[in-house]
Amino acid sequence: MASDLALDSARSVARSAREPGSGICFEDVTVAYKGTVVLERFSLTVAPGEIMAIIGPSGSGKTTALRAVAGFVRPVSGRIQIGERDVTDLPPYERDLGMVVQNYALFPHMRVDENVAFGLRARKEADTTVYGRVQECLRMVGMLNYARRYPRELSGGQQQRVAIARALAIRPRVLLLDEPLSALDAQIRRSMLDELARLHRELPALTVLYVTHDQTEALTLADRIAIMRDGRLVATGRSHALYRLPTNRFAAEFLGRANLLTVRREATSGAGSASDGVFARVRFGDVSLLARSAEGVSAGDECLLCIRPHDIGLQRPPAPVNALVGTVQSVVWQGDLHNVTLDLGADLGADLRGDLAGDRGDSILRLVSLPLREPPQPGDRLEVFFAPEDAVLIPAEAAHA
Amino acid sequence: MHSPAPKAASATLARPVDLTTLWIAPPLLVLGGLFFYPLVLILGQSLGSDGSALSLRFYAQVLATPLFQGALLHTIVIAVASSVGCLTLGFVMALVLSFVPFPGARGIARLIDTFIALPTFLVALAFTFIYGSAGLLNMSLMATFHLPLPPIDFLYSPWGVILAEITVYTPFVMRPLLASFSLIEPAQIEVASSLGAGPWRIIRQIILPAAIPALLAGGSLCLLLTVNEFGIVLFIGAKGVITLPLLVYDKAIQEFDYTTACVIAMVNIALSLSLYSLYRLVVARFGGRNAGLV
């Protein structure tokens, strides 16, 4: 019953949003505070109706990028477009955006319904419109029963729902979310993540720019992810592709956990091509491995081989292509999985061991597996396997970027 | 049910005299000697304690005189007008200092704060130097335009007093206002503007409601201080503007009419005390979480 109502109200909000949405376009945007460049020649296009997550460590410029869209910081150069409109020089209140911030920022002296009505009142909507829209949006986030409460009487999760309703009430084409879940505890965060995904299914034309430092949130929610570091865009791509085939070391390590092995592409091209990419043969010490090739990696080059911990198996497949042998360092049980760390160092050729000493790679291989009935013991010798499709080469230049 | 009470009573009786309570005695003595005793004397004088029976007949007499009524009216009008002026000016200045980023804003806020430390008559003196009939402004205007009389002549009217009091007491409003503004989450203002609210709507609907406790507290403090203001009125308004404190001074020092002076003083005290109660009430009612700042 309640969910029917929620769906109804979502549809009526969605109806208006069904008109073509507005994308966001950053064109060479540079932002500086007191001479310090915090966003450098940032270009990114968010398609209408898309959820784009911007992730990066703190100080990477991701929030600045969002604030530039909102109009709270003015770029020193470059343009920002929302839909067809160049908003670079518009004040925030003329940009028609919804915005949700980390600490909710509800207006403390207004009741929940007054908070949600705020944007509509600012737009001088008629009372009946305001009333209807407030009901609709509160129902959509499941907060209709709290309409007469004050923000201080709500929990963090409830406050964030109200903040979302407040942002959606003005039927924005673009919704900016600035770390919206980071003030919530883990359990509520997960349910809010589902909630946000549901909302976007119901408002498919809504373009969402989602800034977070949490890769799980980004991977769960976003169609595409932009990774930032030191004020620059480091990598961007569809979430799945970016996770599976990171284009540089930072992207590989920031988005999920990754093993990065220093390898050398073999000169003799033993490479084959498959339906979904080109493979290249590389040498890791004395071991020959097969992995997805990448642009910028030529025969004879030193590069990195990226393999996700969960793509490494302990079971010998019928026709193993890539196998590595190492000494078990640690086995940590985590309830629903086992974390195993292997030291590959002892089994490498002498030449690579020298390289590793030079801090250029890592002889440690981490893998996760479903809980093992008989987990290996530290000190055990273990052979592990991975498919060539799961391993991707990353150019060495990018490793130093 | 009743047993604990007698027990407690006997325990109190049995307890040896607590010497630490004696520490209260010196401050009480000082307070009594320097404050309450004179107060009682004034009260007695106003009620006609010199031989005759105590009565309110002097109150009836004094309160009926046009001089007293005029002074009371002046006192209230000047106090209210100054407080309103302080609140308006203080709000605007605090708004600019808090929300319009410009270099030196902090320094200016500090400077305004030091105003509180200055004696009030200093401003009055400065005003006479600048706006007085022989002041800078009038002299230069007369010299420039060859005027026979000083053109600016507001200083010795209630306006002059009000202006001087606004200058002196605005910092008392600004302090709590700056404190309450600093508690407003910047994100609230940003979200409001992204929702389409322009600066005026943000001031009206976000900043002003947050500032109400500070405005009430600062305003009632201003009212209290301006009702009792003496120095400024003496310096500037002496010629035409008579307020209650000034009337007390006139009656007591210049006419030696102590009884009338005491009656007026008692009225002034009653006015002050009720304003002070209002101030405490406001602070307790609205200022709970900001109480320390006010």
Side-chain angles (χ1 to χ4, degrees):
Chain A
M1 182 66 195
S3 64
D4 280 356
L5 282 174
L7 208 61
D8 271 357
S9 62
R11 282 199 192 109
S12 70
V13 171
R15 209 172 301 134
S16 68
R18 197 159 297 153
E19 315 149 19
S22 303
I24 306 167
C25 184
F26 295 87
E27 233 181 271
D28 248 353
V29 175
T30 298
V31 176
Y33 289 121
K34 293 175 186 163
T36 315
V37 174
V38 286
L39 194 63
E40 196 174 349
R41 306 205 58 179
F42 182 75
S43 293
L44 183 70
T45 305
V46 188
E50 187 174 57
I51 302 185
M52 167 73 84
I54 302 186
I55 71 170
S58 57
S60 60
K62 56 189 192 300
T63 295
T64 306
L66 178 133
R67 292 171 63 79
V69 179
F72 303 136
V73 292
R74 182 158 293 203
V76 289
S77 67
R79 314 299 300 169
I80 297 168
Q81 279 201 339
I82 297 175
E84 297 297 299
R85 218 154 51 118
D86 184 332
V87 298
T88 319
D89 300 316
L90 288 184
Y93 52 89
E94 285 174 15
R95 297 196 180 197
D96 285 324
L97 305 159
M99 184 166 160
V100 177
V101 298
Q102 182 178 349
N103 296 315
Y104 334 123
L106 295 179
F107 309 131
H109 53 276
M110 295 184 198
R111 293 177 194 279
V112 164
D113 52 356
E114 293 164 334
N115 262 281
V116 178
F118 184 87
L120 299 167
R121 298 256 182 244
R123 286 171 164 65
K124 305 205 164 52
E125 300 276 1
D127 281 351
T128 49
T129 316
V130 174
Y131 180 79
R133 203 86 67 78
V134 168
Q135 299 283 308
E136 196 175 287
C137 290
L138 281 177
R139 194 176 292 143
M140 206 156 78
V141 296
M143 289 297 293
L144 198 51
N145 293 334
Y146 298 86
R148 302 302 291 163
R149 300 267 189 105
Y150 279 99
R152 59 174 179 273
E153 299 166 332
L154 305 178
S155 70
Q158 290 171 327
Q159 289 191 47
Q160 197 56 296
R161 281 161 195 271
V162 174
I164 292 167
R166 179 177 62 180
L168 292 177
I170 58 170
R171 293 185 175 166
R173 304 260 173 105
V174 171
L175 182 63
L176 304 178
L177 301 169
D178 186 8
E179 306 251 7
L181 306 183
S182 44
L184 302 173
D185 58 51
Q187 209 169 351
I188 296 170
R189 199 181 309 170
R190 269 194 295 278
S191 77
M192 284 297 289
L193 211 50
D194 295 342
E195 193 89 342
L196 284 173
R198 177 185 65 82
L199 277 173
H200 193 254
R201 280 196 301 277
E202 290 162 6
L203 305 170
L206 185 67
T207 309
V208 179
L209 191 64
Y210 189 108
V211 164
T212 178
H213 63 269
D214 184 312
Q215 37 124 344
T216 315
E217 287 174 24
L219 288 169
T220 311
L221 212 55
D223 301 312
R224 288 203 299 146
I225 295 176
I227 303 178
M228 293 191 65
R229 178 199 198 182
D230 298 334
R232 294 162 190 245
L233 188 63
V234 176
T236 172
R238 303 205 65 80
S239 309
H240 192 256
L242 197 60
Y243 181 77
R244 297 284 301 165
L245 308 169
T247 49
N248 56 50
R249 181 181 192 146
F250 188 76
E253 288 182 320
F254 198 78
L255 200 62
R257 296 172 56 185
N259 291 296
L260 295 167
L261 305 174
T262 308
V263 296
R264 188 176 295 282
R265 184 165 175 176
E266 286 188 2
T268 51
S269 183
S273 87
S275 56
D276 55 345
V278 181
F279 291 92
R281 191 155 282 285
V282 295
R283 288 206 77 79
F284 177 63
D286 298 336
V287 192
S288 172
L289 300 168
L290 197 62
R292 285 173 186 274
S293 186
E295 268 183 58
V297 181
S298 324
D301 281 358
E302 189 174 84
C303 57
L304 293 170
L305 181 146
C306 167
I307 174 87
R308 300 284 179 191
H310 54 76
D311 287 328
I312 301 172
L314 296 170
Q315 297 287 327
R316 170 177 283 271
V321 182
N322 294 322
L324 288 167
V325 179
T327 310
V328 175
Q329 273 202 324
S330 71
V331 179
V332 178
W333 176 69
Q334 235 178 42
D336 55 352
L337 43 83
H338 262 109
N339 284 297
V340 181
T341 334
L342 281 187
D343 187 356
L344 305 173
D347 297 278
L348 297 177
D351 57 328
L352 194 71
R353 236 181 326 224
D355 277 358
L356 290 173
D359 196 29
R360 299 215 286 151
D362 198 347
S363 70
I364 301 295
L365 191 74
R366 295 180 182 81
L367 63 106
V368 292
S369 115
L370 294 175
L372 298 162
R373 211 152 277 152
E374 286 168 22
Q377 296 301 310
D380 285 0
R381 302 258 301 147
L382 197 63
E383 191 174 24
V384 296
F385 309 91
F386 58 91
E389 293 80 19
D390 296 328
V392 62
L393 298 183
I394 293 172
E397 301 89 71
H400 303 294
Chain B
M1 276 304 257
H2 292 279
S3 57
K7 221 182 240 171
S10 64
T12 327
L13 284 176
R15 197 191 294 153
V17 178
D18 192 350
L19 286 175
T20 53
T21 53
L22 286 178
W23 285 109
I24 302 171
L28 267 184
L29 272 175
V30 172
L31 212 59
L34 295 180
F35 181 71
F36 286 113
Y37 180 61
L39 201 64
V40 168
L41 283 185
I42 293 172
L43 182 65
Q45 179 90 35
S46 75
L47 293 171
S49 61
D50 43 351
S52 56
L54 300 183
S55 76
L56 290 171
R57 63 182 185 286
F58 293 118
Y59 281 82
Q61 274 172 27
V62 173
L63 265 54
T65 58
L67 190 64
F68 170 81
Q69 288 167 359
L72 182 65
L73 188 70
H74 263 133
T75 309
I76 291 171
V77 167
I78 288 175
V80 169
S82 305
S83 300
V84 169
C86 287
L87 287 177
T88 315
L89 184 66
F91 186 75
V92 172
M93 303 229 317
L95 209 58
V96 172
L97 285 177
S98 298
F99 296 109
V100 184
F102 63 92
R106 288 178 74 90
I108 291 178
R110 290 256 169 72
L111 191 71
I112 289 171
D113 234 25
T114 58
F115 249 65
I116 293 176
L118 298 179
T120 60
F121 65 80
L122 206 66
V123 171
L125 197 61
F127 264 49
T128 27
F129 274 131
I130 298 169
Y131 305 112
S133 48
L136 281 174
L137 192 63
N138 271 321
M139 286 315 237
S140 38
L141 281 176
M142 281 161 72
T144 318
F145 299 103
H146 309 289
L147 303 169
L149 288 170
I152 310 282
D153 183 31
F154 69 91
L155 192 60
Y156 306 110
S157 71
W159 287 111
V161 177
I162 290 170
L163 208 68
E165 290 190 355
I166 290 174
T167 313
V168 171
Y169 290 117
T170 296
F172 288 78
V173 180
M174 286 181 65
R175 250 176 63 155
L177 273 179
L178 286 171
S180 82
F181 286 172
S182 71
L183 293 179
I184 298 177
E185 242 186 284
Q188 278 179 24
I189 291 168
E190 291 181 351
V191 167
S193 73
S194 81
L195 286 169
W200 289 115
R201 182 175 288 270
I202 291 176
I203 290 173
R204 237 178 31 244
Q205 299 195 330
I206 311 295
I207 296 175
L208 194 59
I212 280 178
L215 283 174
L216 287 174
S220 36
L221 184 65
C222 259
L223 212 52
L224 184 67
L225 293 170
T226 47
V227 158
N228 293 322
E229 180 56 42
F230 179 70
I232 290 174
V233 189
L234 188 69
F235 257 85
I236 291 177
K239 290 179 189 164
V241 186
I242 303 290
T243 61
L244 291 183
L246 211 68
L247 197 58
V248 175
Y249 171 78
D250 281 353
K251 290 291 170 198
I253 307 299
Q254 298 186 322
E255 301 174 24
F256 303 105
D257 180 357
Y258 285 115
T259 309
T260 307
C262 288
V263 168
I264 300 166
M266 288 318 291
V267 173
N268 202 355
I269 288 169
L271 196 60
S272 299
L273 283 182
S274 43
L275 282 175
Y276 182 71
S277 323
L278 182 75
Y279 167 69
R280 292 313 308 173
L281 208 69
V282 162
V283 171
R285 168 72 180 79
F286 294 97
R289 75 204 148 107
N290 305 351
L293 304 165
V294 176

